[in-house]
């Protein structure tokens, strides 16, 4: 079923802050003179920052790529004018915490000369959608409504998603800002040309431009131009903040709510800002990258209000000087709108792709009251366009109850500031939400780091255990081999005596006998002489033993009274008797052998 646009609907919540658009809504667009120096940040979008691709002293032309995109969600950065790169260094930025940012510092040569090789698509309506998306990507175009999301990603919906409607955001609901309204009044044809190109690239045929009713001049101008485009419809909308938020605008125009955690394409819608449409037209038809944008300079603290076309990287001080300077009554400087902008403390901060305005506010335009305790009035619940519970979320963020804070869907908060605007206790609710979001991101990064360390430690322990097990297994194998070798040696040793049995004394005796019976007479004589010599030696030993036994007897012919000596004498007598018998036997044997 297609999207119906006949019935307008109101989103939940929202507020009606004073508009203050009368200060600059009649200021025609004027081109800001060239500053003396440009500080072009390499991070002007949501996603990964760019990497510099130029060096100090290098000459560049207008449109030269000075920062290459890194990652899918990223957009290249180009030189805003021709000149010389002075350096690449950290410079003040519009970050809420006052952080610096890596910038390419360029000294203009005054010629403002474009690159000569820039080429557009002559007939974009006959070009392939992929070629158009490539042009948008290479031109570094991001959403100029303030979110700074790379536009080519929005122009590349998933193949399984159908784009039923293209919504062009001309709401400009932030108070004070009028640059989009002036763009619609003065450059309506360029907007419609960009819309035609986007419709062709998205392969859809329906577009609606939403404009709040407090911009009658813009509504008239766009309706006049859109009359020549049957696919484009201009729809006035009731004034309500934050109607310019993407999800709220889609709900008002179509009645479809983008679910939590989902994108507009999930309900069949793609949304772009009117200024983005002009940038896409310039990139596709002329081949020119995004190097400038419109900025509203307004507030009661500035001498002259204006809607300026400003080169990226132009210092805020240059805008202030062009508009006559600040009044003595100025109290606060804000980059962007008063509801979602960033308070500035340094006028050297450069203009970037997301800079829609510069507000010089006096004391009567600002709220300077101390923060009080929450009185549970519930006004913030009624004002929140996402139907969140801001009072509970701020308490959880303040006390760093991060787990519970996520359960309250803090990441669905669009930080529109409606809750803080209606809070009677002046609690800076959005600041607490931003703190909570950053703390949760930091905690997730720390958890990921710990998990990575844990996995690495486990992997190391497993590796050490495997190495230890391998060593023990190898050691056991070596022990087993040693034991096997020892067992084999023992087996061989046990088998050796059986083989060498003839060498034992018991077995040698027959050999001696055999030797005495040898047929060699000389050898037999030698054996006999050796046997006699051995018998003589043994007889001598026996005699000596007998003498020693005799010497141990008592002089009276009795035995010694010492039992040990008596035992020794008995053993000696027994040995002498045995020796005598042995001599007799051997003598008989020798005599027999001699015969």
């Amino acid at each position: 079923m297609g999207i119906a646009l006949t019935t307008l609907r109101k989103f939940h919540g929202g507020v009606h802050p004073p508009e203050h658009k009368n200060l600059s809504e009649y200021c025609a667009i004027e081109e800001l003179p060239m500053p003396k120096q440009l500080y072009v940040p390499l991070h002007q979008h949501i996603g990964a920052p760019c990497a510099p691709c130029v060096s100090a002293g290098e000459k560049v032309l207008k449109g030269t790529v000075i920062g290459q995109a890194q990652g899918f969600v990223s957009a290249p950065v180009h030189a805003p004018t021709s000149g010389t790169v002075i350096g690449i260094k950290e410079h003040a930025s519009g970050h809420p915490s006052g952080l610096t940012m890596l910038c390419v510092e360029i000294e203009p040569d005054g010629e403002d000369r474009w690159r000569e090789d820039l080429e557009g698509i002559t007939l974009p309506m006959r070009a392939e959608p992929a070629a158009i998306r490539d042009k948008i990507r290479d031109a570094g175009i991001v959403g100029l409504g303030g979110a700074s999301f790379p536009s080519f990603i929005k122009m590349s919906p998933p193949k399984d998603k159908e784009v039923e409607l293209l919504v062009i955001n001309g709401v400009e609901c932030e108070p004070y800002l009028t640059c989009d309204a002036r763009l619609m009044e003065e450059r309506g044809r360029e907007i419609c040309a960009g819309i035609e190109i986007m419709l062709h690239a998205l392969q859809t045929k329906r577009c609606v431009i939403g404009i709040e009713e407090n911009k009658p001049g813009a509504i008239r101008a766009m309706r006049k131009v859109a009359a020549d485009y049957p696919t484009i419809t201009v729809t006035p909308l009731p004034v309500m903040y934050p109607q310019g938020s993407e999800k709220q605008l889609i709900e008002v125009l179509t009645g479809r709510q983008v679910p939590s955690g989902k994108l507009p394409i999930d309900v069949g819608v793609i949304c772009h800002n009117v200024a983005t449409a002009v940038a896409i037209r310039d990139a596709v038809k002329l081949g020119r990258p995004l190097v400038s944008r419109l900025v509203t300079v307004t507030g009661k603290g500035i001498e002259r209000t204006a809607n300026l076309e400003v080169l990226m990287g132009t210092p805020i001080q240059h805008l202030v000087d062009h508009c006559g300077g600040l009044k003595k009554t100025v109290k606060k400087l804000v980059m962007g709108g008063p509801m979602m902008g960033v308070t500035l403390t340094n006028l050297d901060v450069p203009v970037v792709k997301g800079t829609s305005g510069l507000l010089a506010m006096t004391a009567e335009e600002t709220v300077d009251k101390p923060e009080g305790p929450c009185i549970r009035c519930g006004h913030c619940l009624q004002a929140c366009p996402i139907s969140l519970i801001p009072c509970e979320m701020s308490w959880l963020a303040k006390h760093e109850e991060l787990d519970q804070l996520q359960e309250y869907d803090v990441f669905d908060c669009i930080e529109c500031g409606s809750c803080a605007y209606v809070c009677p206790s002046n609690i800076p609710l959005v600041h607490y939400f931003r703190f909570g979001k950053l703390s949760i991101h930091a905690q997730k990064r720390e958890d990921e780091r710990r998990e990575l360390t844990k996995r690495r430690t486990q992997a190391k322990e497993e590796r050490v255990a495997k190495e230890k097990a391998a060593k023990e297994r190898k050691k056991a194998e070596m022990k087993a081999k040693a034991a096997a070798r020892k067992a084999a040696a023992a087996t061989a040793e046990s088998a050796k005596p059986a083989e060498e049995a003839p060498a034992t004394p018991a077995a040698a005796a027959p050999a001696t006998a055999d030797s005495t019976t040898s047929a060699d007479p000389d050898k037999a004589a030698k054996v006999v002489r050796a046997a006699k010599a051995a018998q003589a030696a043994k007889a001598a030993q026996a005699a000596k033993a007998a003498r020693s036994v005799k010497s141990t007897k008592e002089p009276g012919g009795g035995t010694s009274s010492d039992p040990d000596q008596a035992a020794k004498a008995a053993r000696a007598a027994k040995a002498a008797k045995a020796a005598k018998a042995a001599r007799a036997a051997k003598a008989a044997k020798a005599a027999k052998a001699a015969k």
Side-chain angles (χ1 to χ4, degrees):
M1 191 168 79
I3 295 177
L5 298 175
T6 55
T7 304
L8 292 180
R9 299 168 177 82
K10 180 185 178 304
F11 60 90
H12 176 270
V15 293
H16 287 279
E19 297 177 7
H20 297 292
K21 292 184 181 287
N22 59 328
L23 294 173
S24 59
E25 64 182 342
Y26 300 108
C27 298
I29 297 172
E30 56 181 300
E31 187 174 348
L32 184 69
M34 186 74 66
K36 293 181 179 179
Q37 286 186 344
L38 296 166
Y39 302 91
V40 187
L42 293 171
H43 193 190
Q44 302 187 42
H45 51 268
I46 289 178
C50 293
C53 54
V54 292
S55 55
E58 186 174 337
K59 299 285 185 181
V60 294
L61 296 176
K62 191 173 185 176
T64 300
V65 178
I66 58 176
Q68 290 285 2
Q70 303 291 308
F72 179 67
V73 185
S74 185
V77 177
H78 302 77
T81 186
S82 57
T84 304
V85 176
I86 298 176
I88 302 171
K89 57 186 178 182
E90 294 287 328
H91 190 78
S93 70
H95 195 277
S97 60
L99 293 176
T100 59
M101 193 173 294
L102 190 63
C103 297
V104 178
E105 188 177 354
I106 298 176
E107 185 178 47
D109 58 9
E111 298 180 4
D112 199 29
R113 186 155 55 96
W114 282 97
R115 278 173 52 193
E116 296 178 356
D117 58 344
L118 295 177
E119 292 183 359
I121 301 175
T122 306
L123 298 173
M125 303 308 292
R126 297 182 182 179
E128 291 292 330
I132 294 175
R133 287 194 289 268
D134 290 344
K135 281 287 185 184
I136 296 172
R137 180 198 60 203
D138 296 342
I141 298 174
V142 303
L144 297 179
S148 301
F149 189 79
S151 299
F152 81 94
I153 299 177
K154 280 188 177 180
M155 296 297 295
S156 308
K159 293 182 179 178
D160 60 336
K161 304 288 185 183
E162 180 186 0
V163 181
E164 300 179 47
L165 180 68
L166 171 64
V167 171
I168 296 299
N169 189 348
V171 173
E172 199 172 38
C173 60
E174 274 267 14
Y176 288 93
L177 302 184
T178 57
C179 55
D180 283 353
R182 292 306 310 179
L183 183 71
M184 289 184 282
E185 288 189 46
E186 299 183 30
R187 301 179 182 176
R189 294 212 169 270
E190 296 177 16
I191 294 172
C192 288
I195 291 173
E196 262 201 321
I197 293 171
M198 286 191 280
L199 288 172
H200 175 67
L202 293 170
Q203 296 291 291
T204 187
K205 298 183 181 302
R206 297 183 66 192
C207 172
V208 58
I209 304 174
I211 308 173
E212 284 191 340
E213 292 173 343
N214 60 353
K215 304 174 186 64
I219 295 173
R220 285 195 301 271
M222 290 309 303
R223 278 182 166 169
K224 183 178 179 180
V225 176
D228 298 334
Y229 297 86
T231 55
I232 301 175
T233 304
V234 177
T235 302
L237 303 173
V239 179
M240 175 67 74
Y241 180 86
Q243 195 156 227
S245 174
E246 191 175 65
K247 293 184 177 180
Q248 279 62 49
L249 179 58
I250 291 172
E251 182 179 353
V252 169
L253 289 173
T254 68
R256 296 185 178 183
Q257 288 186 335
V258 180
S260 175
K262 300 292 184 181
L263 299 172
I265 187 58
D266 293 311
V267 295
V269 180
I270 295 292
C271 188
H272 283 283
N273 181 267
V274 288
T276 308
V278 176
I280 289 176
R281 176 259 182 192
D282 293 344
V284 176
K285 296 195 72 172
L286 306 177
R288 292 180 175 178
L290 180 63
V291 296
S292 65
R293 68 154 298 145
L294 297 185
V295 178
T296 299
V297 182
T298 184
K300 295 182 180 180
I302 191 82
E303 291 291 343
R304 182 175 72 89
T305 59
N307 286 300
L308 305 174
E309 183 163 9
V310 185
L311 297 177
M312 307 300 177
T314 302
I316 292 295
Q317 180 69 61
H318 189 63
L319 279 71
V320 172
D321 294 341
H322 179 75
C323 293
L326 300 173
K327 295 180 181 177
K328 294 182 179 178
T329 55
V330 68
K331 185 174 183 180
K332 185 178 181 182
L333 281 176
V334 176
M335 177 184 278
M339 302 295 287
M340 299 183 69
V342 178
T343 301
L344 294 179
T345 57
N346 189 343
L347 292 180
D348 288 335
V349 170
V351 170
V352 295
K353 295 176 183 177
T355 303
S356 54
L358 172 64
L359 310 184
M361 305 174 76
T362 60
E364 63 179 286
E365 297 173 284
T366 59
V367 177
D368 188 15
K369 297 180 181 178
E371 176 184 348
C374 178
I375 59 175
R376 300 292 176 180
C377 63
H379 289 172
C380 57
L381 279 72
Q382 299 172 8
C384 180
I386 314 296
S387 301
L388 300 176
I389 310 177
C391 53
E392 290 292 335
M393 292 163 55
S394 65
W395 189 92
L396 294 172
K398 187 175 182 179
H399 294 82
E400 299 189 37
E401 298 287 346
L402 302 182
D403 292 337
Q404 293 187 48
L405 183 60
Q406 292 187 76
E407 296 175 0
Y408 278 77
D409 298 323
V410 67
F411 286 101
D412 284 346
C413 174
I414 59 175
E415 302 178 9
C416 64
S418 298
C419 54
Y421 178 77
V422 299
C423 179
S425 295
N426 301 308
I427 300 174
L429 296 164
V430 177
H431 292 182
Y432 286 123
F433 302 155
R434 289 172 178 167
F435 170 76
K437 290 179 180 179
L438 292 174
S439 298
I440 292 171
H441 284 307
Q443 186 183 58
K444 286 183 177 179
R445 287 195 295 270
E446 181 64 18
D447 291 343
E448 291 174 356
R449 189 188 65 79
R450 288 177 179 173
E451 182 64 23
L452 179 61
T453 303
K454 182 180 178 181
R455 290 201 301 270
R456 287 176 174 172
T457 303
Q458 290 178 345
K460 181 181 179 181
E461 291 176 352
E462 292 175 359
R463 186 179 69 253
V464 171
K466 287 181 179 178
E467 292 175 354
K468 185 178 180 181
K471 287 181 179 178
E472 291 179 350
R473 186 170 59 254
K474 189 174 180 180
K475 189 176 180 181
E477 291 174 357
M478 294 176 68
K479 283 184 175 180
K481 290 180 179 178
R485 286 196 299 270
K486 190 174 181 180
T491 303
E493 188 67 23
S494 62
K496 188 175 180 181
E499 296 174 356
E500 297 178 353
T504 59
T512 304
D514 293 343
S515 62
T516 57
T517 57
S518 174
D520 188 354
D522 295 336
K523 188 174 181 180
K526 287 181 180 178
V527 171
V528 170
R529 286 195 295 273
K532 287 182 178 180
Q535 289 176 358
K538 288 182 178 179
Q541 290 178 353
K544 186 178 181 180
R547 287 194 298 271
S548 65
V549 170
K550 189 176 180 180
S551 65
T552 58
K553 291 183 177 178
E554 294 288 337
T559 58
S560 175
S561 60
D562 188 350
D564 294 337
Q565 290 184 353
K568 288 181 180 178
R571 286 196 297 271
K574 190 176 180 179
K577 187 177 181 180
K580 185 177 181 180
R583 283 196 302 272
K586 287 184 178 179
K589 190 175 180 180
K592 186 179 180 180
K595 289 179 179 180

